[in-house]
C-alpha cells in the first residue's frame, strides 16, 4: 500500500513539474503572432487549425479587425456562410473603409445567390472607393448573375468608356454580351440573342462563340443565305481559315447545293491535301449528291431543257420561280436577264425582275425599273403605288447609310408621284430631323398637316421639334390637343409630361426659376405623383431659399411614395437647412436602421447630429453639443469633425484630460493630420506639460513647416528651459565732468513652478578702486492674481551703495489692471533712506502703460519721484518698443544710484526709449537710451546720457 502511494505521489509531482516547466519555458503568444500563424495555416489549406488560432487571437484582442476578416474568410472557405457573413459584416461596421471586406461580403452574397444584398455591398464599396475598377466589375457580374441584362448592358458600356484600354474590362464586356446572347438564345428570343452576340463581335470580331451562335440561329430559322453571307464575309477577312471553309461546306450541304459543296471540298483538299477529315468527307458527299439527284431535282431538269431549247418559255419561268423560292436571287436574275436578251420588252419578265430586285432588297434598281414600267402605263394604279413604295424603300436605305441628299431625292420623287403619301412625308421629315434641320422638318410637317390635320404621328413629331427648338409653349399646345383627343392613351400623357419636364430643366439651367417652377407645377396638375417634377420642385424651392415650399413638396411626394428612401433623405436635408435638426435626424436615423449597409444614410445622420451640435455651440450650450458629438463618435469613432469639435468644447471647459483622449484618438486614426497633433500640443501646454507639448509641436512641424508652426514649437521648447544667463552693460556719460561710469553685470536666473530667483554680480572700475555688488532677486507667484517681488544687494561701498533692499506686492484686477504696493531701503554714503512705492498698470491689446510713484524719506528731507513707462508689444509679445519719462530720482534707478545722495531733491527730468528683441524665445537682446537733466540752480542745468545694452539666453 505504501509503495502504491509513493508511486502516485511521484507521478503527481512529475506532472506538476512538467506543467511548471512548460509554463516557464513556453512563452505565451500574443495576438499578432497567432494571426501570423493563422495566415500561414490558411496558405497551407489547414483551415480548421487556422480557425482555432484565429479564435485564440480574438480572445486576446477582441477588436483585431484583420483577424476578424481572416476568420470570415476561413468560414467562407469551409462553407459556413452564416458565420462568414457575421464576421465580415462586423468588420465593415468597425472599419467602413476596409477594401477587402467589401470583396468578401460581395462574394458571400453572390455564393448564396442573394443578389440584392451583394449589390448593396458593392454600392457601399463604390461610395467609399469611387470608380474602383474591381468593384465595378463585381457589380457587372451581379447584374449578369441576377439576369438583369438590359441594366447590365448599360453598366458594361459605361465601364468600357471609363477603362477603354483595360483588357480585363474588355473581357468582362464581351463576357456579358455572350452570356446575354446565350440566355436569350435558350429562350428562343432570336432578335435579342442576335443583338447581344453582335455587340460582342463589335469589340472582338474574331470571337468564335458569337460567330458560331449567329450562324446556328440563321440555320435554325432557315436563313441559309444569311448564314452563307456571314461566313463569306468572315472568309474575305481570313481567306485561309480552315474552320471557316469547313463551316461553309457544312452550310452548302444543308442547302443541298451539292455542286457548290463539292467545289468547296475540292478547295479545302487543294490547300490541305493530307487532311484526313476532308478526305473522309469526299465519298459521303458524293453519295449524298447522288441520292439527292436520284430524286430528280426539278431545277436541274428545267435547266437541262433550257440548255437544249433556250427559247422554251415555260422552262424559263420554272427555273426563275424555283431560284426565287430557294432564295437564289442572283441565279433568278441571271435567268431573267437571259430571257430579256431575247425579249427586252417582255412585261412578264420585267415584272419578275422587279420582284427579284425587291426581294433581294435592291430597292434603288427596283425603283428605276418600276419607274420605267409606270411611265409606259400611267393608268396602272398598282404600278404607281409600287413605284412610290420602292422609292420610299430606296430612300430608307440611303437614310440608313446617312446619305441624306440621296434619301431626300428619293422621297421627293415619291411625293411627286403621290403628294399625300404619309410614309414619304414622314420619312422626309425624319431625314431633316436626323440632319438637325428643324426649319425644313417643320415645313414638311406643316405640309403634311394641311392634308392630314388630325394625324397624331405628324402632330407628335411637330411637338417634339418645337420643343427641341425651345418653343415649349407651342409644343405644349399640340401635346395638350393630342391628350384631349385621346385621354386614355398613355403616350400622349407621357409626351406632355416629358415636354414640360424638358422645358422646366432648360429654364432651370437658364436660372429662370419662377418659369421653371410653373412648368413643374403644370406636370403635377396633370400627374400629382410625378416623381421627377416633385424632385425638381423640392430642389428648386430649396435653392431659392424657400425651404417651407420645398418641405411642402417633399411631404406631397412622400404621400405618393412613402417608402422612397431618396425622398426621405431629401426631406431630411430640407429640415436640416431649416435648422429643424431633431426632425431631420429622426428621418436619417430610421433610414440608417433600415439600410445599415448604405453609407450615405449613416453619413447623413452623423452630419445632422454635427449640425445640431454646432447650433448648440453657438447658443452656448456646450454640454448638449458634446452629447451629440458623442453619439456621432458612437456611430463612427473616426469622425474628424466630431473629434475636433469635442476637443474644442472640452478645452473651453478646461477639461483638458478628456480633450486629450479625443486628440489622441484623432491622432491614432489620422496620424498625418496636423490639426489633431496641434490640438494635443495646445492641451498639453494648458496643462503646463511643456516637454510633451514641445514633442507634439515638433511632429506638427514635420508635417507642415509653416512659420507659425515653427514659431509655436520654439515657444514650447523655451517653456521647458529652467535657467537663464544674462549680461548687461550700462554706459553713463555727463556734460559736467570728465569721467564716465560703466557698469557690467552678470546674471544667473532659475525658473521654478511659482516664479524665478536670480543672482547678479555688478562690476564698476574707478580710480578709487573696483566696485563690486552682489544682488539676489525673487519673483514669487502666490496665486493667479497675486505675486511678490523681492531684492537684496550688498557691495563693498566702492561706487555702489552699501545696501539696498526692495519688496513689492502686485495684484491683478479686472479689465487687465495691475496694482503695486512696495517699500525700498537704501544705504549709501553713511546715509539711509526709506521709500514707499505705488504703481498702476493697464494693458490695451498690444499696449502696456505703467505709472509709478515713489515717496522717499531721507531724514530730515522728504522727496517724491514719478515714472511713466509705455510699451508696444510685437511678435506674440516677444518683442517690444519702450518709451519712458520720469520726474525726480527714484531708488530703482540703477544708473543714478551711484550719485543718489547728491541728486536727491534736485529737479530731475528724464526721457528714454528702447527696443528689445527675442530670437526663438531663447535669446533676448535689448538696447535702451535715456537722457537725464538735473536743475542745479535757477540757471544751471546738467545732463546725463545712458546707454544700456542687455543680452539674455535661456537654457
Amino acid at each position: 500500500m505504501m509503495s502504491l502511494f509513493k508511486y502516485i505521489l511521484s507521478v503527481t509531482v512529475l506532472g506538476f513539474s512538467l506543467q511548471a516547466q512548460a509554463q516557464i519555458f513556453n512563452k505565451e503568444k500574443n495576438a499578432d503572432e497567432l494571426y501570423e500563424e493563422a495566415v500561414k495555416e490558411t496558405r497551407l489549406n489547414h483551415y480548421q487549425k487556422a480557425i482555432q488560432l484565429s479564435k485564440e487571437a480574438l480572445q486576446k484582442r477582441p477588436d483585431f479587425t484583420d483577424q476578424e476578416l481572416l476568420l470570415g474568410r476561413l468560414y467562407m472557405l469551409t462553407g459556413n456562410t452564416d458565420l462568414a457573413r457575421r464576421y465580415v459584416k462586423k468588420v465593415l461596421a468597425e472599419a467602413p473603409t476596409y477594401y477587402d471586406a467589401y470583396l468578401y461580403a460581395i462574394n458571400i452574397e453572390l455564393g448564396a445567390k442573394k443578389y440584392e444584398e451583394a449589390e448593396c455591398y458593392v454600392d457601399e464599396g463604390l461610395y467609399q472607393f469611387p470608380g474602383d475598377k474591381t468593384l465595378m466589375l463585381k457589380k457587372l457580374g451581379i447584374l449578369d448573375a441576377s439576369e438583369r441584362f438590359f441594366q447590365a448592358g448599360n453598366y458594361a458600356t459605361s465601364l468600357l468608356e471609363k477603362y477603354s484600354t483595360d483588357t480585363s474590362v474588355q473581357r468582362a464586356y464581351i463576357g456579358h454580351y455572350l452570356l446575354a446572347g446565350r440566355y436569350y438564345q435558350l429562350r428562343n428570343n432570336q432578335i435579342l440573342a442576335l443583338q447581344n452576340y453582335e455587340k460582342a463581335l463589335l469589340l472582338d470580331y474574331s470571337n468564335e462563340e458569337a460567330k458560331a451562335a449567329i450562324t446556328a440561329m440563321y440555320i435554325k430559322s432557315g436563313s441559309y443565305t444569311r448564314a452563307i453571307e456571314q461566313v463569306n464575309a468572315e472568309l474575305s477577312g481570313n481567306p485561309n481559315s480552315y474552320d471557316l471553309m469547313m463551316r461553309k461546306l457544312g452550310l452548302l450541304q444543308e442547302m443541298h447545293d451539292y455542286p457548290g459543296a463539292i467545289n468547296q471540298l475540292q478547295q479545302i483538299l487543294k490547300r490541305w491535301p493530307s487532311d484526313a477529315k476532308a478526305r473522309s468527307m469526299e465519298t459521303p458527299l458524293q453519295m449524298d449528291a447522288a441520292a439527292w439527284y436520284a430524286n430528280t431535282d426539278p431545277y436541274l431538269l428545267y435547266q437541262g431543257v433550257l440548255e437544249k431549247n433556250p427559247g422554251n418559255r415555260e422552262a424559263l419561268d420554272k427555273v426563275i420561280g424555283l431560284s426565287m423560292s430557294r432564295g437564289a436571287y442572283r441565279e433568278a436574275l441571271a435567268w431573267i436577264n437571259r430571257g430579256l436578251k431575247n425579249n427586252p420588252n417582255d412585261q412578264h419578265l420585267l415584272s419578275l425582275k422587279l420582284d427579284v430586285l425587291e426581294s433581294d432588297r435592291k430597292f434603288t434598281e427596283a425603283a428605276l425599273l418600276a419607274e420605267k414600267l409606270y411611265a409606259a402605263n400611267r393608268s396602272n394604279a398598282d404600278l404607281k403605288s409600287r413605284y412610290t413604295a420602292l422609292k420610299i424603300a430606296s430612300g430608307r436605305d440611303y437614310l440608313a447609310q446617312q446619305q441624306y441628299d440621296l434619301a431626300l431625292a428619293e422621297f421627293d420623287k415619291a411625293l411627286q408621284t403621290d403628294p399625300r403619301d404619309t410614309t414619304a412625308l414622314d420619312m422626309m421629315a425624319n431625314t431633316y430631323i436626323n440632319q438637325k434641320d428643324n426649319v425644313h422638318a417643320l415645313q414638311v410637317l406643316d405640309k403634311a398637316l394641311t392634308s392630314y390635320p388630325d394625324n397624331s404621328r405628324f402632330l407628335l413629331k411637330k411637338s417634339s421639334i418645337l420643343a427641341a427648338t425651345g418653343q415649349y409653349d407651342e409644343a405644349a399646345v399640340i401635346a395638350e390637343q393630342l391628350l384631349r383627343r385621346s385621354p386614355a392613351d398613355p403616350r400622349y400623357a407621357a409626351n406632355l409630361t416629358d415636354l414640360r419636364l424638358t422645358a422646366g430643366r432648360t429654364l432651370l439651367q437658364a436660372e429662370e426659376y419662377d418659369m421653371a417652377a410653373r412648368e413643374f407645377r403644370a406636370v403635377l396638375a396633370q400627374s400629382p405623383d410625378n416623381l421627377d417634377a416633385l424632385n425638381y420642385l423640392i430642389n428648386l424651392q430649396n435653392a431659392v431659399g424657400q425651404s417651407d415650399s420645398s418641405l411642402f413638396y417633399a411631404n406631397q411626394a412622400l404621400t405618393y411614395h412613402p417608402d422612397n428612401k431618396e425622398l426621405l433623405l431629401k426631406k431630411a436635408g430640407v429640415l436640416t437647412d431649416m435648422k429643424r435638426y431633431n426632425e431631420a435626424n429622426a428621418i436619417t436615423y430610421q433610414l440608417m436602421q433600415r439600410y445599415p449597409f448604405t453609407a450615405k444614410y449613416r453619413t447623413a445622420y452623423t452630419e445632422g447630429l454635427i449640425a445640431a451640435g454646432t447650433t448648440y455651440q453657438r447658443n452656448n450650450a456646450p454640454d448638449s453639443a458634446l452629447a451629440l458629438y458623442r453619439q456621432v463618435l458612437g456611430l463612427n469613432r473616426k469622425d474628424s469633425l466630431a473629434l475636433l469639435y469635442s476637443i474644442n468644447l472640452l478645452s473651453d471647459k478646461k477639461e483638458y484630460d478628456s480633450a486629450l483622449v479625443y486628440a489622441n484618438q484623432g491622432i491614432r486614426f489620422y496620424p498625418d493630420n496636423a490639426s489633431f497633433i496641434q490640438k494635443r500640443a495646445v492641451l498639453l501646454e494648458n496643462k503646463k506639460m511643456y516637454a510633451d507639448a514641445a514633442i507634439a509641436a515638433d511632429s506638427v512641424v514635420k508635417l507642415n513647416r509653416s512659420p507659425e508652426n515653427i514659431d509655436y514649437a520654439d515657444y514650447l521648447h523655451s517653456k521647458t528651459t529652467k535657467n537663464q544667463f544674462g549680461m548687461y552693460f550700462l554706459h553713463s556719460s555727463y556734460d559736467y565732468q570728465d569721467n564716465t561710469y560703466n557698469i557690467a553685470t552678470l546674471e544667473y536666473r532659475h525658473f521654478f513652478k511659482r516664479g524665478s530667483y536670480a543672482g547678479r554680480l555688478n562690476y564698476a572700475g574707478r580710480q578709487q578702486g573696483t566696485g563690486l555688488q552682489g544682488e539676489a532677486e525673487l519673483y514669487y507667484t502666490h496665486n493667479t492674481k497675486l505675486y511678490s517681488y523681492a531684492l537684496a544687494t550688498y557691495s563693498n561701498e566702492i561706487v555702489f551703495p552699501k545696501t539696498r533692499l526692495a519688496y513689492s506686492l502686485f495684484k491683478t484686477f479686472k479689465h487687465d489692471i495691475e496694482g503695486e504696493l512696495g517699500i525700498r531701503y537704501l544705504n549709501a554714503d553713511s546715509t539711509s533712506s526709506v521709500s514707499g512705492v505705488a504703481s498702476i498698470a493697464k494693458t490695451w491689446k498690444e499696449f502696456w502703460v505703467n505709472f509709478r510713484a515713489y515717496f522717499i524719506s531721507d531724514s530730515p528731507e522728504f522727496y517724491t519721484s514719478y515714472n511713466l513707462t509705455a510699451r508696444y508689444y510685437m511678435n506674440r509679445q516677444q518683442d517690444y518698443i519702450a518709451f519712458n519719462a520720469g520726474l525726480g530720482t527714484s531708488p530703482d534707478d540703477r544708473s543714478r544710484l551711484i550719485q543718489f545722495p547728491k541728486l536727491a531733491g534736485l529737479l530731475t527730468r528724464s526721457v528714454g526709449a528702447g527696443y528689445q528683441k527675442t530670437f526663438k524665445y531663447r535669446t533676448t537682446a535689448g538696447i535702451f537710451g535715456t537722457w537725464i537733466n538735473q536743475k542745479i540752480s535757477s540757471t544751471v542745468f546738467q545732463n546725463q546720457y545712458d546707454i544700456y545694452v542687455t543680452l539674455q539666453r535661456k537654457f
Side-chain angles (χ1 to χ4, degrees):
M1 189 70 180
M2 285 297 293
S3 61
L4 178 62
F5 176 74
K6 289 180 180 179
Y7 174 75
I8 294 172
L9 182 61
S10 301
V11 170
T12 303
V13 170
L14 178 61
F16 278 122
S17 65
L18 290 174
Q19 184 178 359
Q21 185 180 11
Q23 290 178 350
I24 292 170
F25 293 101
N26 293 336
K27 182 183 176 183
E28 189 174 358
K29 296 176 182 176
N30 60 30
D32 290 320
E33 291 171 334
L34 290 168
Y35 171 74
E36 294 297 332
E37 283 194 32
V39 172
K40 290 178 184 177
E41 296 297 336
T42 303
R43 290 172 182 163
L44 296 171
N45 299 331
H46 301 162
Y47 300 137
Q48 294 302 326
K49 176 65 174 176
I51 288 172
Q52 183 60 38
L53 290 166
S54 299
K55 288 180 178 179
E56 291 177 21
L58 286 174
Q59 285 178 352
K60 295 180 181 294
R61 195 194 302 170
D63 59 347
F64 196 167
T65 309
D66 290 336
Q67 181 62 79
E68 288 174 332
L69 187 63
L70 176 61
L71 189 53
R73 181 188 172 203
L74 289 165
Y75 282 127
M76 283 174 59
L77 293 170
T78 55
N80 195 333
T81 305
D82 291 336
L83 283 175
R85 182 183 289 115
R86 188 179 79 184
Y87 277 100
V88 173
K89 183 177 177 182
K90 185 179 178 185
V91 170
L92 286 172
E94 295 172 351
T97 58
Y98 204 138
Y99 181 80
D100 289 347
Y102 287 106
L103 299 180
Y104 290 154
I106 295 164
N107 291 340
I108 289 170
E109 303 306 338
L110 270 175
K113 296 185 178 180
K114 293 185 176 182
Y115 302 122
E116 290 184 6
E117 291 293 327
E119 190 172 4
C120 284
Y121 281 120
V122 81
D123 286 340
E124 190 168 348
L126 286 169
Y127 177 80
Q128 297 288 348
F129 309 98
D132 183 80
K133 182 184 70 176
T134 302
L135 289 173
M136 293 180 77
L137 288 171
K138 286 284 186 185
K139 180 160 185 174
L140 178 60
I142 292 167
L143 293 171
D144 280 337
S146 57
E147 298 179 350
R148 289 181 284 168
F149 294 112
F150 180 76
Q151 187 178 353
N154 291 333
Y155 197 77
T157 302
S158 65
L159 185 58
L160 185 64
E161 289 173 354
K162 188 174 181 67
Y163 301 101
S164 57
T165 59
D166 191 283
T167 54
S168 62
V169 173
Q170 292 174 355
R171 286 196 298 272
Y173 178 89
I174 295 166
H176 157 72
Y177 283 110
L178 291 175
L179 180 64
R182 289 194 293 271
Y183 176 86
Y184 291 120
Q185 189 178 7
L186 288 172
R187 287 155 181 79
N188 293 319
N189 191 333
Q190 304 298 327
I191 295 174
L192 287 178
L194 187 62
Q195 288 176 357
N196 281 281
Y197 282 127
E198 286 175 345
K199 285 184 178 179
L201 287 174
L202 284 174
L203 193 61
D204 180 14
Y205 184 74
S206 62
N207 190 278
E208 292 299 327
E209 180 183 348
K211 290 179 181 179
I214 291 172
T215 304
M217 285 189 286
Y218 285 153
I219 294 171
K220 186 175 181 180
S221 62
S223 302
Y224 289 106
T225 304
R226 294 192 67 181
I228 285 286
E229 287 174 355
Q230 184 197 4
V231 174
N232 285 337
E234 294 183 44
L235 278 169
S236 65
N238 189 9
N240 297 320
S241 171
Y242 174 82
D243 292 334
L244 289 173
M245 295 183 76
M246 291 295 283
R247 194 188 304 170
K248 182 176 179 179
L249 173 60
L251 288 171
L252 291 169
Q253 282 183 276
E254 292 287 337
M255 295 171 65
H256 302 294
D257 183 358
Y258 291 107
I262 291 170
N263 179 54
Q264 181 70 17
L265 181 59
Q266 292 305 316
Q267 291 183 39
I268 294 171
L269 288 170
K270 186 176 180 181
R271 294 193 182 186
W272 295 280
S274 59
D275 185 71
K277 181 179 178 181
R279 284 290 178 194
S280 66
M281 292 176 66
E282 192 172 15
T283 300
L285 181 60
Q286 290 175 347
M287 292 294 292
D288 288 344
W292 173 260
Y293 292 127
N295 294 327
T296 313
D297 185 359
Y299 178 87
L300 294 175
L301 290 175
Y302 288 121
Q303 183 180 6
V305 171
L306 285 172
E307 287 174 355
K308 295 177 182 178
N309 185 8
N312 188 302
R313 184 55 182 267
E314 182 182 357
L316 180 63
D317 290 343
K318 292 292 186 182
V319 169
I320 294 169
L322 287 168
S323 297
M324 290 178 66
S325 67
R326 293 177 180 180
Y329 299 117
R330 293 181 183 178
E331 288 82 354
L333 188 60
W335 287 114
I336 292 169
N337 288 333
R338 184 173 174 179
L340 285 171
K341 284 183 180 179
N342 298 323
N343 300 293
N345 296 317
D346 188 306
Q347 295 296 306
H348 179 65
L349 287 177
L350 288 171
S351 180
L352 283 176
K353 183 174 182 178
L354 186 62
D355 291 340
V356 170
L357 290 171
E358 185 176 4
S359 298
D360 203 22
R361 303 185 65 81
K362 296 181 178 179
F363 299 118
T364 303
E365 296 177 48
L368 290 171
L369 181 56
E371 185 177 14
K372 178 181 177 181
L373 293 172
Y374 177 59
N377 190 0
R378 293 282 181 182
S379 60
N380 191 321
D382 289 338
L383 272 176
K384 176 184 176 181
S385 175
R386 191 171 188 185
Y387 167 66
T388 304
L390 285 170
K391 279 293 180 186
I392 292 170
S394 174
R396 274 200 178 101
D397 278 353
Y398 285 129
L399 184 59
Q401 299 165 23
Q402 297 184 358
Q403 299 186 47
Y404 299 118
D405 292 340
L406 294 174
L408 287 170
E410 296 292 77
F411 298 139
D412 186 58
K413 286 183 180 179
L415 288 171
Q416 288 175 15
T417 306
D418 186 359
R420 290 170 53 84
D421 188 281
T422 56
T423 305
L425 289 166
D426 195 29
M427 295 307 298
M428 182 169 272
N430 287 346
T431 305
Y432 284 125
I433 290 169
N434 286 341
Q435 297 181 87
K436 302 192 183 315
D437 187 352
N438 294 322
V439 174
H440 284 96
L442 283 173
Q443 290 175 356
V444 173
L445 290 170
D446 287 338
K447 179 182 176 182
L449 287 168
T450 57
S451 301
Y452 305 99
D454 296 327
N455 186 295
S456 59
R457 187 170 71 255
F458 291 147
L459 287 168
L460 194 60
K461 199 162 287 186
K462 181 177 180 179
S463 174
S464 299
I465 294 172
L466 288 170
T469 56
Q471 302 175 67
Y472 296 109
D473 291 336
E474 295 91 331
V477 169
I478 297 173
E480 288 171 347
Q481 175 187 341
L482 289 168
L483 184 58
R484 282 195 301 271
R485 189 188 304 165
S486 305
D489 193 329
R491 292 180 305 160
Y492 300 134
N495 175 58
L496 182 57
T497 297
D498 289 341
L499 181 63
R500 292 200 180 280
L501 287 173
T502 303
R505 282 192 291 267
T506 304
L507 290 166
L508 268 180
Q509 292 172 356
E511 297 184 0
E512 295 288 350
Y513 300 122
D514 291 338
M515 296 174 67
R518 185 187 67 189
E519 295 294 334
F520 297 137
R521 283 195 289 268
V523 173
L524 293 181
Q526 174 192 334
S527 178
D529 62 342
N530 187 278
L531 191 57
D532 288 331
L534 288 164
N535 268 315
Y536 280 125
L537 282 168
I538 294 167
N539 296 338
L540 187 154
Q541 297 296 337
N542 202 38
V544 298
Q546 299 293 328
S547 298
D548 290 336
S549 298
S550 181
L551 185 60
F552 168 79
Y553 286 114
N555 287 329
Q556 181 177 337
L558 286 167
T559 58
Y560 297 106
H561 311 279
D563 295 324
N564 187 299
K565 50 184 180 292
E566 297 305 320
L567 283 175
L568 287 166
L569 188 62
K570 196 164 288 188
K571 179 180 177 180
V574 174
L575 289 167
T576 299
D577 291 339
M578 298 173 72
K579 296 184 171 43
R580 292 162 63 174
Y581 300 115
N582 291 336
E583 297 173 64
N585 293 342
I587 294 173
T588 51
Y589 178 77
Q590 291 299 323
L591 286 170
M592 185 182 68
Q593 294 294 104
R594 197 187 311 170
Y595 305 101
F597 302 113
T598 305
K600 65 180 177 180
Y601 302 131
R602 185 167 59 250
T603 301
Y605 179 59
T606 57
E607 286 176 352
L609 290 175
I610 287 175
T614 55
T615 301
Y616 279 127
Q617 276 186 260
R618 287 193 296 269
N619 294 333
N620 198 25
D623 292 335
S624 299
L626 277 170
L628 290 177
Y629 297 147
R630 288 192 189 99
Q631 286 186 48
V632 173
L633 293 172
L635 292 168
N636 179 13
R637 54 184 179 166
K638 296 183 179 181
D639 193 286
S640 57
L641 282 178
L643 287 169
L644 285 170
Y645 291 161
S646 298
I647 293 166
N648 293 339
L649 283 171
L650 290 166
S651 181
D652 291 342
K653 295 176 68 178
K654 302 191 184 313
E655 296 180 15
Y656 302 128
D657 290 331
S658 299
L660 270 173
V661 171
Y662 287 122
N664 292 334
Q665 187 172 331
I667 293 168
R668 186 167 71 253
F669 294 135
Y670 307 101
D672 296 329
N673 187 307
S675 297
F676 288 109
I677 307 174
Q678 183 83 359
K679 294 288 184 187
R680 173 179 166 80
V682 173
L683 291 166
L684 290 169
E685 179 195 357
N686 290 335
K687 293 186 67 177
K688 302 190 184 308
M689 298 171 65
Y690 298 115
D692 292 337
I695 293 171
D698 287 340
S699 299
V700 174
V701 171
K702 289 179 182 178
L703 293 172
N704 181 6
R705 292 189 59 83
S706 69
E708 295 80 7
N709 291 340
I710 294 171
D711 181 73
Y712 185 56
D714 290 337
Y715 167 75
L716 290 174
H717 278 291
S718 74
K719 289 288 187 179
T720 64
T721 59
K722 300 295 183 183
N723 304 291
Q724 178 178 285
F725 173 74
M727 294 188 299
Y728 309 93
F729 181 75
L730 174 64
H731 173 78
S732 298
S733 60
Y734 312 93
D735 63 0
Y736 55 90
Q737 60 184 31
D738 293 335
N739 62 328
T740 60
Y741 283 97
N742 295 308
I743 300 175
T745 302
L746 295 178
E747 177 191 75
Y748 166 74
R749 182 176 297 276
H750 179 75
F751 299 92
F752 59 96
K753 188 174 182 180
R754 286 187 172 271
S756 68
Y757 58 82
R760 282 190 291 269
L761 178 64
N762 298 314
Y763 168 83
R766 292 294 182 271
Q767 292 180 355
Q768 63 269 37
T770 301
L772 294 174
Q773 182 186 51
E775 294 185 77
E777 185 179 72
L778 173 69
Y779 284 93
Y780 186 83
T781 302
H782 303 283
N783 53 49
T784 57
K785 294 185 178 182
L786 204 67
Y787 70 93
S788 292
Y789 164 76
L791 175 73
T793 70
Y794 184 78
S795 77
N796 59 1
E797 292 191 88
I798 299 174
V799 181
F800 300 106
K802 180 179 181 181
T803 307
R804 183 173 163 232
L805 301 173
Y807 175 78
S808 287
L809 182 66
F810 295 85
K811 181 174 175 60
T812 303
F813 300 93
K814 293 181 179 178
H815 309 297
D816 293 323
I817 295 174
E818 183 181 76
E820 174 193 6
L821 288 175
I823 188 169
R824 304 288 187 266
Y825 171 76
L826 181 67
N827 183 296
D829 295 337
S830 302
T831 62
S832 299
S833 66
V834 178
S835 306
V837 182
S839 75
I840 185 168
K842 167 69 177 169
T843 301
W844 290 276
K845 295 184 179 178
E846 289 82 16
F847 287 95
W848 176 82
V849 178
N850 176 272
F851 177 75
R852 177 176 276 120
Y854 295 88
F855 307 96
I856 306 165
S857 174
D858 189 5
S859 182
E861 303 295 333
F862 182 82
Y863 312 107
T864 58
S865 176
Y866 306 98
N867 185 267
L868 178 66
T869 303
R871 292 178 183 173
Y872 175 72
Y873 284 94
M874 301 168 289
N875 191 19
R876 290 170 59 103
Q877 295 194 333
Q878 292 186 88
D879 313 327
Y880 64 82
I881 300 171
F883 302 91
N884 65 279
L887 186 63
T889 300
S890 75
D892 285 341
D893 192 336
R894 300 173 68 86
S895 70
R896 282 176 278 178
L897 288 178
I898 295 171
Q899 304 184 60
F900 183 77
K902 298 177 183 178
L903 299 176
L906 294 179
L907 177 60
T908 303
R909 291 178 288 255
S910 64
V911 291
Y915 175 65
Q916 180 172 291
K917 171 73 176 175
T918 301
F919 302 91
K920 294 189 176 182
Y921 300 93
R922 291 286 190 93
T923 304
T924 303
I927 183 167
F928 304 87
T930 307
W931 169 61
I932 305 157
N933 178 264
Q934 291 110 15
K935 185 177 181 181
I936 304 301
S937 66
S938 59
T939 59
V940 179
F941 295 86
Q942 61 185 23
N943 299 300
Q944 177 181 338
Y945 306 94
D946 288 348
I947 299 295
Y948 187 51
V949 179
T950 67
L951 180 65
Q952 298 160 301
R953 172 68 177 179
K954 290 182 176 180
F955 61 96

